[in-house]
Short mmCIF file of all heavy atoms in Angstrom, two decimals:
data_model
loop_
_atom_site.label_atom_id
_atom_site.label_comp_id
_atom_site.label_asym_id
_atom_site.label_seq_id
_atom_site.Cartn_x
_atom_site.Cartn_y
_atom_site.Cartn_z
N MET A 272 54.11 -38.74 -44.22
CA MET A 272 55.22 -39.32 -43.51
C MET A 272 56.00 -40.25 -44.38
O MET A 272 55.51 -41.21 -45.00
CB MET A 272 54.80 -39.86 -42.25
CG MET A 272 55.83 -40.15 -41.30
SD MET A 272 55.08 -40.53 -39.66
CE MET A 272 55.84 -39.28 -38.62
N THR A 273 57.39 -40.20 -44.32
CA THR A 273 58.06 -41.19 -45.12
C THR A 273 58.74 -42.34 -44.33
O THR A 273 59.72 -42.87 -44.78
CB THR A 273 59.20 -40.37 -46.05
OG1 THR A 273 60.01 -39.89 -44.90
CG2 THR A 273 58.65 -39.46 -46.93
N ALA A 274 58.17 -42.62 -43.18
CA ALA A 274 58.73 -43.63 -42.34
C ALA A 274 58.47 -44.94 -43.12
O ALA A 274 57.47 -45.13 -43.73
CB ALA A 274 58.01 -43.77 -41.00
N GLN A 275 59.47 -45.85 -42.94
CA GLN A 275 59.34 -47.12 -43.63
C GLN A 275 59.16 -48.25 -42.50
O GLN A 275 59.97 -48.19 -41.52
CB GLN A 275 60.54 -47.62 -44.49
CG GLN A 275 60.85 -46.41 -45.48
CD GLN A 275 62.23 -46.70 -46.15
OE1 GLN A 275 63.20 -47.28 -45.51
NE2 GLN A 275 62.35 -46.31 -47.38
N THR A 276 58.40 -49.17 -42.69
CA THR A 276 58.27 -50.29 -41.76
C THR A 276 59.25 -51.46 -42.20
O THR A 276 59.14 -51.95 -43.27
CB THR A 276 56.84 -50.77 -41.61
OG1 THR A 276 55.91 -49.86 -41.20
CG2 THR A 276 56.72 -51.94 -40.61
N ASP A 277 60.21 -51.72 -41.37
CA ASP A 277 61.16 -52.70 -41.63
C ASP A 277 60.68 -54.13 -41.36
O ASP A 277 60.60 -54.87 -42.23
CB ASP A 277 62.50 -52.51 -40.82
CG ASP A 277 63.34 -51.31 -41.32
OD1 ASP A 277 63.04 -50.93 -42.52
OD2 ASP A 277 64.11 -50.83 -40.55
N THR A 278 60.45 -54.37 -40.11
CA THR A 278 59.87 -55.54 -39.65
C THR A 278 58.86 -55.41 -38.78
O THR A 278 58.53 -54.20 -38.34
CB THR A 278 60.97 -56.45 -38.82
OG1 THR A 278 61.45 -55.71 -37.73
CG2 THR A 278 62.12 -56.76 -39.71
N PRO A 279 57.95 -56.38 -38.50
CA PRO A 279 56.77 -56.12 -37.63
C PRO A 279 57.24 -55.59 -36.34
O PRO A 279 58.10 -56.15 -35.76
CB PRO A 279 56.16 -57.45 -37.49
CG PRO A 279 56.65 -58.17 -38.64
CD PRO A 279 57.89 -57.74 -39.05
N GLY A 280 56.67 -54.36 -35.90
CA GLY A 280 57.02 -53.81 -34.53
C GLY A 280 58.12 -52.78 -34.61
O GLY A 280 58.45 -52.30 -33.64
N THR A 281 58.62 -52.58 -35.87
CA THR A 281 59.60 -51.48 -35.92
C THR A 281 59.31 -50.49 -37.08
O THR A 281 58.74 -50.91 -38.13
CB THR A 281 61.09 -51.96 -36.03
OG1 THR A 281 61.24 -52.66 -37.38
CG2 THR A 281 61.46 -53.07 -34.98
N VAL A 282 59.82 -49.33 -36.95
CA VAL A 282 59.64 -48.27 -37.91
C VAL A 282 61.09 -47.61 -38.15
O VAL A 282 61.65 -47.24 -37.07
CB VAL A 282 58.63 -47.22 -37.57
CG1 VAL A 282 58.50 -46.08 -38.53
CG2 VAL A 282 57.21 -47.85 -37.25
N THR A 283 61.31 -47.37 -39.33
CA THR A 283 62.66 -46.73 -39.63
C THR A 283 62.33 -45.31 -40.18
O THR A 283 61.57 -45.24 -41.16
CB THR A 283 63.47 -47.49 -40.59
OG1 THR A 283 63.90 -48.72 -40.06
CG2 THR A 283 64.87 -46.84 -40.90
N ALA A 284 62.92 -44.40 -39.68
CA ALA A 284 62.72 -43.01 -40.21
C ALA A 284 64.19 -42.30 -40.44
O ALA A 284 64.97 -42.60 -39.60
CB ALA A 284 62.00 -42.16 -39.23
N VAL A 285 64.13 -41.50 -41.43
CA VAL A 285 65.53 -40.80 -41.75
C VAL A 285 65.19 -39.25 -41.61
O VAL A 285 64.28 -38.76 -42.22
CB VAL A 285 66.02 -41.22 -43.16
CG1 VAL A 285 67.34 -40.52 -43.50
CG2 VAL A 285 66.23 -42.67 -43.22
N TYR A 286 66.05 -38.64 -40.90
CA TYR A 286 66.07 -37.33 -40.59
C TYR A 286 67.28 -36.53 -41.16
O TYR A 286 68.38 -37.13 -41.26
CB TYR A 286 65.94 -36.94 -39.15
CG TYR A 286 64.68 -37.52 -38.46
CD1 TYR A 286 64.78 -38.70 -37.92
CD2 TYR A 286 63.47 -36.85 -38.45
CE1 TYR A 286 63.54 -39.29 -37.38
CE2 TYR A 286 62.41 -37.28 -37.80
CZ TYR A 286 62.49 -38.55 -37.25
OH TYR A 286 61.34 -39.15 -36.65
N LYS A 287 67.17 -35.22 -41.46
CA LYS A 287 68.16 -34.44 -41.98
C LYS A 287 68.54 -33.59 -40.72
O LYS A 287 67.80 -32.82 -40.33
CB LYS A 287 67.84 -33.62 -43.11
CG LYS A 287 68.92 -32.81 -43.82
CD LYS A 287 69.91 -33.76 -44.50
CE LYS A 287 70.88 -32.79 -45.36
NZ LYS A 287 71.85 -33.70 -46.00
N VAL A 288 69.88 -33.56 -40.41
CA VAL A 288 70.48 -32.78 -39.19
C VAL A 288 71.48 -31.91 -39.76
O VAL A 288 72.42 -32.39 -40.50
CB VAL A 288 70.83 -33.63 -38.01
CG1 VAL A 288 71.48 -32.81 -37.02
CG2 VAL A 288 69.56 -34.34 -37.56
N SER A 289 71.42 -30.60 -39.50
CA SER A 289 72.56 -29.61 -39.90
C SER A 289 73.49 -29.40 -38.81
O SER A 289 73.01 -29.45 -37.63
CB SER A 289 71.95 -28.36 -40.47
OG SER A 289 71.35 -27.55 -39.55
N GLY A 290 74.64 -29.20 -39.16
CA GLY A 290 75.78 -28.87 -38.30
C GLY A 290 76.63 -30.02 -37.77
O GLY A 290 77.72 -29.73 -37.22
N MET A 291 76.40 -31.28 -38.10
CA MET A 291 77.33 -32.29 -37.74
C MET A 291 78.52 -32.29 -38.55
O MET A 291 78.34 -32.19 -39.88
CB MET A 291 76.47 -33.67 -37.83
CG MET A 291 75.36 -33.95 -36.89
SD MET A 291 74.74 -35.60 -37.01
CE MET A 291 74.31 -35.84 -38.52
N SER A 292 79.78 -32.46 -38.03
CA SER A 292 80.92 -32.49 -38.92
C SER A 292 81.92 -33.46 -38.43
O SER A 292 82.95 -33.62 -39.20
CB SER A 292 81.59 -30.98 -38.77
OG SER A 292 81.83 -30.77 -37.36
N CYS A 293 81.68 -34.35 -37.59
CA CYS A 293 82.57 -35.33 -37.09
C CYS A 293 81.93 -36.40 -36.29
O CYS A 293 80.82 -36.42 -36.06
CB CYS A 293 83.68 -34.65 -36.05
SG CYS A 293 82.97 -33.94 -34.65
N GLY A 294 82.82 -37.36 -35.94
CA GLY A 294 82.25 -38.54 -35.13
C GLY A 294 81.72 -38.18 -33.75
O GLY A 294 80.74 -38.75 -33.28
N HIS A 295 82.30 -37.16 -33.22
CA HIS A 295 81.84 -36.64 -31.81
C HIS A 295 80.35 -36.09 -32.02
O HIS A 295 79.51 -36.29 -31.16
CB HIS A 295 82.69 -35.67 -31.25
CG HIS A 295 82.18 -35.11 -29.94
ND1 HIS A 295 81.45 -34.04 -29.74
CD2 HIS A 295 82.48 -35.64 -28.67
CE1 HIS A 295 81.18 -33.86 -28.38
NE2 HIS A 295 81.78 -34.94 -27.87
N CYS A 296 80.13 -35.47 -33.15
CA CYS A 296 78.90 -34.79 -33.38
C CYS A 296 77.78 -35.94 -33.60
O CYS A 296 76.65 -35.83 -33.12
CB CYS A 296 78.85 -34.05 -34.65
SG CYS A 296 79.92 -32.54 -34.73
N GLU A 297 78.16 -36.90 -34.36
CA GLU A 297 77.37 -38.14 -34.64
C GLU A 297 76.99 -38.78 -33.27
O GLU A 297 75.78 -39.08 -33.04
CB GLU A 297 78.01 -39.22 -35.64
CG GLU A 297 78.38 -38.70 -36.91
CD GLU A 297 79.23 -39.56 -37.67
OE1 GLU A 297 79.98 -40.48 -37.03
OE2 GLU A 297 79.28 -39.45 -38.89
N GLY A 298 77.93 -38.98 -32.39
CA GLY A 298 77.67 -39.57 -31.05
C GLY A 298 76.81 -38.78 -30.24
O GLY A 298 75.94 -39.28 -29.53
N SER A 299 76.90 -37.46 -30.21
CA SER A 299 76.01 -36.61 -29.40
C SER A 299 74.66 -36.64 -29.86
O SER A 299 73.77 -36.89 -29.02
CB SER A 299 76.51 -35.04 -29.50
OG SER A 299 77.82 -34.97 -29.00
N VAL A 300 74.38 -36.54 -31.21
CA VAL A 300 73.05 -36.64 -31.69
C VAL A 300 72.46 -38.13 -31.56
O VAL A 300 71.36 -38.19 -30.91
CB VAL A 300 72.96 -36.35 -33.26
CG1 VAL A 300 71.61 -36.81 -33.84
CG2 VAL A 300 73.46 -34.95 -33.61
N SER A 301 73.22 -39.02 -31.70
CA SER A 301 72.78 -40.42 -31.47
C SER A 301 72.47 -40.60 -29.95
O SER A 301 71.42 -41.22 -29.60
CB SER A 301 73.75 -41.45 -31.91
OG SER A 301 73.96 -41.41 -33.20
N SER A 302 73.17 -40.15 -29.06
CA SER A 302 73.01 -40.40 -27.66
C SER A 302 71.66 -39.82 -27.11
O SER A 302 70.85 -40.35 -26.51
CB SER A 302 74.07 -39.73 -26.73
OG SER A 302 75.24 -40.53 -27.02
N GLU A 303 71.46 -38.47 -27.69
CA GLU A 303 70.10 -37.85 -27.24
C GLU A 303 68.95 -38.49 -27.76
O GLU A 303 67.83 -38.62 -27.21
CB GLU A 303 70.23 -36.43 -27.73
CG GLU A 303 71.24 -35.46 -27.01
CD GLU A 303 70.91 -35.48 -25.50
OE1 GLU A 303 69.75 -35.44 -25.10
OE2 GLU A 303 71.86 -35.11 -24.60
N ILE A 304 69.06 -38.91 -29.08
CA ILE A 304 67.79 -39.52 -29.66
C ILE A 304 67.59 -40.87 -29.13
O ILE A 304 66.47 -41.30 -28.88
CB ILE A 304 67.97 -39.63 -31.29
CG1 ILE A 304 67.98 -38.19 -31.89
CG2 ILE A 304 66.83 -40.47 -31.88
CD1 ILE A 304 68.23 -38.19 -33.31
N LEU A 305 68.61 -41.65 -28.79
CA LEU A 305 68.39 -43.02 -28.14
C LEU A 305 67.73 -42.87 -26.79
O LEU A 305 67.19 -43.95 -26.44
CB LEU A 305 69.77 -43.65 -27.93
CG LEU A 305 70.44 -44.57 -29.08
CD1 LEU A 305 71.80 -44.86 -28.75
CD2 LEU A 305 69.62 -45.66 -29.22
N GLU A 306 67.67 -41.74 -26.15
CA GLU A 306 66.97 -41.55 -24.87
C GLU A 306 65.50 -41.49 -25.21
O GLU A 306 64.74 -41.57 -24.12
CB GLU A 306 67.43 -40.31 -24.20
CG GLU A 306 68.85 -40.53 -23.62
CD GLU A 306 69.37 -39.34 -22.94
OE1 GLU A 306 68.66 -38.48 -22.41
OE2 GLU A 306 70.56 -39.26 -22.76
N LEU A 307 64.97 -41.24 -26.33
CA LEU A 307 63.60 -41.18 -26.47
C LEU A 307 62.92 -42.60 -26.39
O LEU A 307 63.37 -43.62 -26.77
CB LEU A 307 63.24 -40.64 -27.98
CG LEU A 307 63.74 -39.24 -28.36
CD1 LEU A 307 63.51 -38.89 -29.80
CD2 LEU A 307 63.06 -38.28 -27.37
N PRO A 308 61.73 -42.60 -25.84
CA PRO A 308 61.11 -43.81 -25.53
C PRO A 308 60.82 -44.63 -26.98
O PRO A 308 60.42 -43.96 -27.85
CB PRO A 308 59.65 -43.48 -24.90
CG PRO A 308 59.93 -42.06 -24.30
CD PRO A 308 61.04 -41.53 -25.31
N GLY A 309 61.14 -45.91 -26.84
CA GLY A 309 60.76 -46.76 -28.04
C GLY A 309 61.83 -46.81 -29.08
O GLY A 309 61.84 -47.64 -30.09
N VAL A 310 62.84 -46.01 -28.98
CA VAL A 310 64.09 -45.92 -29.99
C VAL A 310 65.01 -47.20 -29.60
O VAL A 310 65.49 -47.29 -28.50
CB VAL A 310 64.70 -44.58 -30.01
CG1 VAL A 310 66.06 -44.68 -30.80
CG2 VAL A 310 63.86 -43.57 -30.32
N SER A 311 65.25 -47.94 -30.72
CA SER A 311 66.06 -49.17 -30.49
C SER A 311 67.50 -48.91 -31.15
O SER A 311 68.41 -49.51 -30.66
CB SER A 311 65.56 -50.34 -31.00
OG SER A 311 65.16 -50.21 -32.38
N SER A 312 67.50 -48.15 -32.14
CA SER A 312 68.87 -47.76 -32.70
C SER A 312 68.93 -46.44 -33.47
O SER A 312 67.88 -45.99 -33.84
CB SER A 312 69.38 -48.90 -33.66
OG SER A 312 68.62 -48.88 -34.92
N VAL A 313 70.01 -45.82 -33.48
CA VAL A 313 70.30 -44.65 -34.21
C VAL A 313 71.64 -44.66 -34.88
O VAL A 313 72.58 -45.06 -34.37
CB VAL A 313 70.33 -43.33 -33.27
CG1 VAL A 313 70.50 -42.09 -34.04
CG2 VAL A 313 69.08 -43.27 -32.38
N THR A 314 71.56 -44.35 -36.17
CA THR A 314 72.82 -44.16 -36.96
C THR A 314 72.95 -42.88 -37.51
O THR A 314 72.04 -42.39 -38.36
CB THR A 314 72.84 -45.27 -38.18
OG1 THR A 314 72.78 -46.47 -37.51
CG2 THR A 314 74.11 -45.12 -38.93
N ALA A 315 74.06 -41.97 -37.11
CA ALA A 315 74.12 -40.69 -37.53
C ALA A 315 75.42 -40.59 -38.53
O ALA A 315 76.32 -41.19 -38.21
CB ALA A 315 74.36 -39.67 -36.42
N VAL A 316 75.23 -39.87 -39.65
CA VAL A 316 76.28 -39.85 -40.67
C VAL A 316 76.55 -38.35 -40.84
O VAL A 316 75.76 -37.65 -41.42
CB VAL A 316 75.92 -40.43 -41.96
CG1 VAL A 316 77.04 -40.35 -42.87
CG2 VAL A 316 75.73 -41.91 -41.67
N ALA A 317 77.65 -37.88 -40.28
CA ALA A 317 78.11 -36.42 -40.36
C ALA A 317 78.16 -35.92 -41.82
O ALA A 317 77.62 -34.80 -42.15
CB ALA A 317 79.17 -36.20 -39.58
N ALA A 318 78.82 -36.79 -42.69
CA ALA A 318 79.01 -36.33 -43.96
C ALA A 318 77.74 -35.95 -44.81
O ALA A 318 77.72 -35.02 -45.59
CB ALA A 318 79.93 -37.45 -44.74
N SER A 319 76.69 -36.74 -44.64
CA SER A 319 75.44 -36.43 -45.33
C SER A 319 74.44 -35.61 -44.44
O SER A 319 73.48 -35.16 -44.98
CB SER A 319 74.81 -37.76 -45.64
OG SER A 319 74.47 -38.64 -44.62
N GLY A 320 74.72 -35.58 -43.16
CA GLY A 320 73.80 -35.06 -42.22
C GLY A 320 72.51 -35.89 -42.00
O GLY A 320 71.46 -35.46 -41.52
N GLU A 321 72.59 -37.16 -42.39
CA GLU A 321 71.35 -37.93 -42.20
C GLU A 321 71.62 -38.83 -41.00
O GLU A 321 72.57 -39.28 -40.49
CB GLU A 321 71.32 -39.01 -43.40
CG GLU A 321 70.92 -38.22 -44.61
CD GLU A 321 70.75 -39.25 -45.80
OE1 GLU A 321 70.86 -40.39 -45.74
OE2 GLU A 321 70.38 -38.70 -46.91
N VAL A 322 70.39 -38.93 -40.25
CA VAL A 322 70.24 -39.64 -39.08
C VAL A 322 69.16 -40.71 -39.22
O VAL A 322 68.01 -40.28 -39.45
CB VAL A 322 70.00 -38.90 -37.69
CG1 VAL A 322 69.87 -39.62 -36.52
CG2 VAL A 322 71.08 -37.71 -37.70
N THR A 323 69.45 -41.93 -39.16
CA THR A 323 68.46 -43.01 -39.17
C THR A 323 68.09 -43.53 -38.01
O THR A 323 68.93 -43.98 -37.11
CB THR A 323 68.98 -44.20 -40.20
OG1 THR A 323 69.52 -43.63 -41.38
CG2 THR A 323 68.01 -45.23 -40.49
N VAL A 324 66.72 -43.61 -37.65
CA VAL A 324 66.29 -44.02 -36.33
C VAL A 324 65.38 -45.09 -36.55
O VAL A 324 64.40 -45.28 -37.29
CB VAL A 324 65.46 -42.81 -35.57
CG1 VAL A 324 65.11 -43.15 -34.33
CG2 VAL A 324 66.36 -41.53 -35.76
N VAL A 325 65.63 -46.28 -35.71
CA VAL A 325 64.64 -47.33 -35.76
C VAL A 325 63.99 -47.34 -34.40
O VAL A 325 64.57 -47.18 -33.28
CB VAL A 325 65.40 -48.64 -35.90
CG1 VAL A 325 64.45 -49.85 -35.78
CG2 VAL A 325 66.22 -48.71 -37.23
N SER A 326 62.58 -47.37 -34.34
CA SER A 326 61.75 -47.25 -33.22
C SER A 326 60.70 -48.29 -33.30
O SER A 326 60.31 -48.84 -34.34
CB SER A 326 61.39 -45.87 -32.93
OG SER A 326 60.57 -45.55 -34.09
N ALA A 327 60.11 -48.44 -32.16
CA ALA A 327 58.89 -49.34 -32.05
C ALA A 327 57.67 -48.86 -32.67
O ALA A 327 56.78 -49.49 -33.14
CB ALA A 327 58.57 -49.67 -30.53
N ALA A 328 57.70 -47.51 -32.73
CA ALA A 328 56.44 -46.71 -33.36
C ALA A 328 56.85 -45.38 -34.04
O ALA A 328 58.03 -45.00 -33.57
CB ALA A 328 55.34 -46.48 -32.32
N PRO A 329 56.12 -44.77 -34.94
CA PRO A 329 56.52 -43.60 -35.34
C PRO A 329 56.76 -42.55 -34.25
O PRO A 329 56.01 -42.44 -33.21
CB PRO A 329 55.35 -42.99 -36.25
CG PRO A 329 54.69 -44.37 -36.77
CD PRO A 329 54.91 -45.23 -35.45
N LEU A 330 57.87 -41.77 -34.46
CA LEU A 330 58.32 -40.78 -33.42
C LEU A 330 57.54 -39.41 -33.65
O LEU A 330 57.38 -39.08 -34.78
CB LEU A 330 59.59 -40.55 -33.19
CG LEU A 330 60.52 -41.83 -32.87
CD1 LEU A 330 62.06 -41.56 -33.05
CD2 LEU A 330 60.19 -42.31 -31.46
N ASP A 331 57.30 -38.65 -32.59
CA ASP A 331 56.84 -37.28 -32.66
C ASP A 331 58.00 -36.51 -33.13
O ASP A 331 59.07 -36.52 -32.40
CB ASP A 331 56.24 -36.96 -31.38
CG ASP A 331 55.78 -35.47 -31.39
OD1 ASP A 331 55.03 -35.10 -32.34
OD2 ASP A 331 56.12 -34.70 -30.44
N GLU A 332 57.76 -35.82 -34.25
CA GLU A 332 58.95 -34.95 -34.69
C GLU A 332 59.40 -33.89 -33.82
O GLU A 332 60.67 -33.64 -33.66
CB GLU A 332 58.62 -34.30 -36.16
CG GLU A 332 59.88 -33.65 -36.70
CD GLU A 332 59.63 -33.31 -38.13
OE1 GLU A 332 59.00 -34.03 -38.99
OE2 GLU A 332 60.00 -32.09 -38.57
N ALA A 333 58.52 -33.42 -32.90
CA ALA A 333 58.85 -32.34 -31.85
C ALA A 333 59.84 -33.00 -30.85
O ALA A 333 60.70 -32.32 -30.47
CB ALA A 333 57.65 -31.84 -31.23
N ALA A 334 59.62 -34.25 -30.55
CA ALA A 334 60.56 -34.93 -29.59
C ALA A 334 61.82 -35.21 -30.23
O ALA A 334 62.82 -34.91 -29.61
CB ALA A 334 59.95 -36.30 -29.13
N VAL A 335 61.97 -35.57 -31.47
CA VAL A 335 63.25 -35.75 -32.13
C VAL A 335 63.83 -34.29 -32.29
O VAL A 335 65.10 -34.28 -31.95
CB VAL A 335 63.05 -36.27 -33.52
CG1 VAL A 335 64.36 -36.37 -34.32
CG2 VAL A 335 62.36 -37.77 -33.55
N ARG A 336 63.09 -33.34 -32.60
CA ARG A 336 63.76 -32.07 -32.72
C ARG A 336 64.27 -31.57 -31.40
O ARG A 336 65.44 -30.98 -31.30
CB ARG A 336 62.70 -31.00 -33.21
CG ARG A 336 63.29 -29.60 -33.40
CD ARG A 336 62.03 -28.60 -34.02
NE ARG A 336 61.49 -29.24 -35.23
CZ ARG A 336 62.10 -29.12 -36.47
NH1 ARG A 336 63.22 -28.54 -36.65
NH2 ARG A 336 61.47 -29.62 -37.46
N ALA A 337 63.54 -31.79 -30.17
CA ALA A 337 64.13 -31.46 -29.05
C ALA A 337 65.41 -32.17 -28.67
O ALA A 337 66.42 -31.59 -27.98
CB ALA A 337 63.05 -31.60 -27.91
N ALA A 338 65.52 -33.39 -28.99
CA ALA A 338 66.65 -34.18 -28.64
C ALA A 338 67.82 -33.65 -29.50
O ALA A 338 68.92 -33.62 -28.97
CB ALA A 338 66.30 -35.77 -29.02
N VAL A 339 67.63 -33.41 -30.79
CA VAL A 339 68.75 -32.87 -31.69
C VAL A 339 69.20 -31.49 -31.15
O VAL A 339 70.27 -31.27 -30.98
CB VAL A 339 68.23 -32.85 -33.13
CG1 VAL A 339 69.26 -32.11 -34.03
CG2 VAL A 339 68.09 -34.27 -33.62
N ASP A 340 68.19 -30.71 -30.72
CA ASP A 340 68.46 -29.35 -30.16
C ASP A 340 69.31 -29.57 -28.85
O ASP A 340 70.33 -28.82 -28.59
CB ASP A 340 67.33 -28.64 -29.77
CG ASP A 340 66.52 -28.07 -30.89
OD1 ASP A 340 67.03 -28.11 -32.12
OD2 ASP A 340 65.39 -27.58 -30.83
N GLU A 341 69.04 -30.49 -27.99
CA GLU A 341 69.73 -30.72 -26.83
C GLU A 341 71.26 -31.14 -27.16
O GLU A 341 72.15 -30.80 -26.47
CB GLU A 341 69.09 -31.86 -25.90
CG GLU A 341 69.67 -32.04 -24.77
CD GLU A 341 69.50 -30.95 -23.75
OE1 GLU A 341 68.59 -30.28 -23.74
OE2 GLU A 341 70.43 -31.00 -22.78
N ALA A 342 71.48 -31.87 -28.28
CA ALA A 342 72.77 -32.15 -28.64
C ALA A 342 73.52 -31.01 -29.33
O ALA A 342 74.73 -31.07 -29.50
CB ALA A 342 72.71 -33.34 -29.71
N GLY A 343 72.87 -29.83 -29.55
CA GLY A 343 73.47 -28.69 -30.03
C GLY A 343 73.42 -28.64 -31.62
O GLY A 343 74.26 -27.93 -32.12
N PHE A 344 72.46 -29.33 -32.08
CA PHE A 344 72.36 -29.28 -33.68
C PHE A 344 70.94 -28.90 -34.09
O PHE A 344 70.10 -28.67 -33.15
CB PHE A 344 72.75 -30.60 -34.28
CG PHE A 344 74.13 -31.09 -33.84
CD1 PHE A 344 74.49 -31.70 -32.87
CD2 PHE A 344 75.30 -30.42 -34.60
CE1 PHE A 344 75.84 -31.89 -32.47
CE2 PHE A 344 76.61 -30.73 -34.22
CZ PHE A 344 76.89 -31.54 -33.09
N GLU A 345 70.67 -28.87 -35.37
CA GLU A 345 69.36 -28.41 -35.89
C GLU A 345 68.76 -29.48 -36.66
O GLU A 345 69.38 -29.97 -37.66
CB GLU A 345 69.50 -27.06 -36.64
CG GLU A 345 68.06 -26.55 -37.14
CD GLU A 345 68.28 -25.36 -38.12
OE1 GLU A 345 69.24 -24.87 -38.11
OE2 GLU A 345 67.14 -24.98 -38.66
N LEU A 346 67.59 -29.90 -36.28
CA LEU A 346 66.80 -30.76 -37.24
C LEU A 346 66.28 -30.04 -38.36
O LEU A 346 65.35 -29.12 -38.09
CB LEU A 346 65.69 -31.60 -36.35
CG LEU A 346 64.77 -32.49 -37.06
CD1 LEU A 346 65.62 -33.78 -37.48
CD2 LEU A 346 63.64 -32.82 -36.15
N VAL A 347 66.56 -30.37 -39.55
CA VAL A 347 65.96 -29.88 -40.76
C VAL A 347 64.62 -30.45 -41.01
O VAL A 347 63.74 -29.69 -41.34
CB VAL A 347 66.96 -29.98 -42.00
CG1 VAL A 347 66.22 -29.40 -43.17
CG2 VAL A 347 68.28 -29.46 -41.63
N GLY A 348 64.48 -31.70 -40.89
CA GLY A 348 63.14 -32.32 -41.04
C GLY A 348 63.40 -33.89 -41.39
O GLY A 348 64.44 -34.33 -41.54
N GLN A 349 62.28 -34.43 -41.60
CA GLN A 349 62.36 -35.94 -42.11
C GLN A 349 62.46 -36.03 -43.46
O GLN A 349 61.93 -35.23 -44.26
CB GLN A 349 61.05 -36.66 -41.53
CG GLN A 349 61.17 -38.15 -41.66
CD GLN A 349 59.94 -38.75 -41.02
OE1 GLN A 349 59.17 -38.21 -40.35
NE2 GLN A 349 59.86 -40.05 -41.16
N ILE A 350 63.31 -37.03 -43.97
CA ILE A 350 63.52 -37.17 -45.33
C ILE A 350 62.61 -38.25 -45.81
O ILE A 350 62.21 -39.12 -45.22
CB ILE A 350 64.93 -37.68 -45.53
CG1 ILE A 350 65.99 -36.72 -45.21
CG2 ILE A 350 65.22 -38.11 -47.06
CD1 ILE A 350 67.41 -37.07 -45.13
#
C-alpha cells in the first residue's frame, strides 16, 4: 500500500480515476468519497485523474471503488 501518513491520526492516499474531464466530474467524485466514514478531505484533479483522500485510517479500496462507481467513474487503483 502506498498510503502516506501525514500527521498523527491521518492517512493520505492517492487514487487514479478514469473518465473525469471537468470540475463537475471532480465534484461528483469528491462528494461520493467524502461520504465514506473517516474521510476528512478529498481533492480530485480531472486533468491528471488523481484523487487525493485524507482519512483517519487507511480506506478499504472496495469502498472507494463503490463511491467512485456511484459517481459514474472508474477507479483504476491506488497510486
Side-chain angles (χ1 to χ4, degrees):
M272 195 170 231
T273 59
Q275 304 167 331
T276 301
D277 285 343
T278 58
T281 65
V282 175
T283 300
V285 181
Y286 299 92
K287 185 75 169 179
V288 174
S289 67
M291 293 190 301
S292 61
C293 65
H295 182 267
C296 299
E297 294 169 348
S299 295
V300 170
S301 295
S302 294
E303 290 296 334
I304 295 175
L305 273 169
E306 292 182 16
L307 296 175
V310 173
S311 57
S312 74
V313 180
T314 303
V316 180
S319 64
E321 292 183 0
V322 179
T323 304
V324 182
V325 178
S326 58
L330 297 174
D331 177 46
E332 189 166 316
V335 176
R336 184 175 305 280
V339 171
D340 286 349
E341 183 67 27
F344 301 95
E345 181 183 352
L346 178 69
V347 176
Q349 191 169 354
I350 299 174

